[in-house]
C-alpha cells in the first residue's frame, strides 16, 4: 500500500469523479461551441457584405444631403428676393 492509498478517502474519490464528470461536460460544451463559431471564410463573406451595404447607404445619404442643400439654397434665395422686393419697392 502506498501513502496515497492510505490518504485516499471515499469522499475524495467521489469528489474526483465529480470533477472528472464536470470536466467532461465542459469539454463537450466547448466542442459544441467551437463548431458553431464562424471561420475566416464566414468572416470574410460578412465583411464584404457589410462593405457593400455601407457603400449603398453612403450613396443614398449623399443624394439626400445634395437634395437638402439644393432645397435650402432655393428657399433662402426666394426669401432674400422677397425681402429685397419689400424693402425697395419699384
Amino acid at each position: 500500500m502506498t501513502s496515497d492509498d492510505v490518504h485516499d478517502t471515499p469522499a475524495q474519490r467521489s469528489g474526483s469523479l465529480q470533477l472528472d464528470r464536470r470536466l467532461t461536460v465542459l469539454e463537450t460544451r466547448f466542442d459544441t461551441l467551437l463548431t458553431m463559431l464562424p471561420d475566416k471564410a464566414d468572416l470574410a463573406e460578412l465583411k464584404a457584405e457589410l462593405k457593400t451595404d455601407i457603400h449603398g447607404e453612403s450613396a443614398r445619404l449623399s443624394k439626400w444631403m445634395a437634395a437638402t442643400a439644393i432645397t435650402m439654397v432655393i428657399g433662402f434665395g426666394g426669401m432674400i428676393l422677397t425681402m429685397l422686393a419689400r424693402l425697395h419697392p419699384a
Side-chain angles (χ1 to χ4, degrees):
M1 224 181 223
T2 64
S3 64
D4 290 337
D5 293 335
V6 173
H7 296 294
D8 192 20
T9 62
Q12 287 176 337
R13 273 187 244 130
S14 68
S16 176
L17 290 175
Q18 281 182 334
L19 287 176
D20 287 341
R21 192 182 58 174
R22 289 176 67 188
L23 182 61
T24 304
V25 168
L26 287 174
E27 286 175 343
T28 306
R29 285 183 186 169
F30 288 144
D31 290 342
T32 304
L33 287 175
L34 288 177
T35 59
M36 294 171 36
L37 292 175
D39 56 358
K40 285 185 180 182
D42 293 336
L43 293 176
E45 181 181 332
L46 180 63
K47 183 178 178 181
E49 184 179 331
L50 286 175
K51 272 187 173 181
T52 304
D53 289 347
I54 288 172
H55 286 300
E57 287 298 314
S58 175
R60 191 177 67 84
L61 287 174
S62 295
K63 290 177 188 175
W64 272 100
M65 286 175 37
T68 302
I70 291 170
T71 303
M72 288 176 61
V73 167
I74 292 171
F76 280 118
M79 183 177 66
I80 290 171
L81 289 175
T82 303
M83 287 173 44
L84 289 175
R86 297 228 176 206
L87 289 177
H88 303 291

